[in-house]
Amino acid sequence: MPQLKTYKLFISHAWQYDYEYFKVVEFLDSVANFKWNNFSVPEHNPKIDPFSKSGQRALIKDLENQVRQVNCFLAIGRMYLPFRYWIQTELDIAFYFNKPIITIVPRNSFKIPKVLQDLSWDFAGWNRFSIVDAIRKHSI
């Protein structure tokens, strides 16, 4: 059997991780024959103070270093509005590095913000197979 590709992924997040972030991680971990590495900042060990100017600059530099390496950027559609500054920063970095942006659409009839509609290469439903299919289709 040929070696499986290991996808390097960045999942959009704000300083506080929430249920949806962890659910996406769970989705990705549960798919057979799908290997991936999480390039998102670890939740349990924040490296800097995101509320200071120097901390914000350091965090942006860290985000650039992480996103530069990935095959695909996953944006959780519902997270954009409440965490606009950091999610937009992550999106800007992904766009700058020409990374495929896949927006994961929540189950309910949530309206996806226009910025996500404009930047996304594709949209995935709120299930593991839809997300993985979009990753396989668009990863670089």
Side-chain angles (χ1 to χ4, degrees):
M1 179 175 202
Q3 181 75 15
L4 291 176
K5 176 177 180 168
T6 300
Y7 294 91
K8 299 174 187 173
L9 305 175
F10 186 94
I11 305 167
S12 67
H13 61 281
W15 202 247
Q16 300 116 343
Y17 289 70
D18 70 349
Y19 166 80
E20 291 176 328
Y21 171 86
F22 288 114
K23 191 64 178 173
V24 170
V25 170
E26 182 182 312
F27 282 156
L28 296 173
D29 286 342
S30 70
V31 176
N33 298 319
F34 183 77
K35 292 172 53 175
W36 73 290
N37 289 328
N38 190 345
F39 277 71
S40 305
V41 176
E43 174 253 344
H44 60 280
N45 188 19
K47 296 192 277 185
I48 57 162
D49 174 10
F51 302 107
S52 70
K53 289 290 183 192
S54 63
Q56 288 176 354
R57 284 190 301 272
L59 182 55
I60 289 169
K61 185 84 168 155
D62 283 349
L63 289 169
E64 289 172 349
N65 289 332
Q66 290 166 295
V67 173
R68 177 182 298 135
Q69 301 176 65
V70 301
N71 303 115
C72 195
F73 180 97
L74 303 177
I76 301 172
R78 188 188 317 269
M79 290 183 71
Y80 183 81
L81 292 176
F83 303 110
R84 181 174 303 173
Y85 176 80
W86 284 112
I87 302 297
Q88 186 62 54
T89 300
E90 293 169 353
L91 285 166
D92 291 344
I93 293 167
F95 182 77
Y96 177 80
F97 288 115
N98 198 33
K99 300 301 177 175
I101 298 171
I102 297 169
T103 294
I104 302 169
V105 181
R107 284 184 186 257
N108 63 15
S109 60
F110 177 79
K111 185 171 179 353
I112 299 298
K114 181 155 176 31
V115 67
L116 285 174
Q117 292 177 31
D118 293 344
L119 291 176
S120 294
W121 291 33
D122 203 351
F123 298 90
W126 188 252
N127 69 74
R128 62 188 178 163
F129 298 113
S130 180
I131 296 168
V132 168
D133 285 348
I135 292 168
R136 286 180 169 145
K137 179 179 178 184
H138 294 288
S139 281
I140 54 174

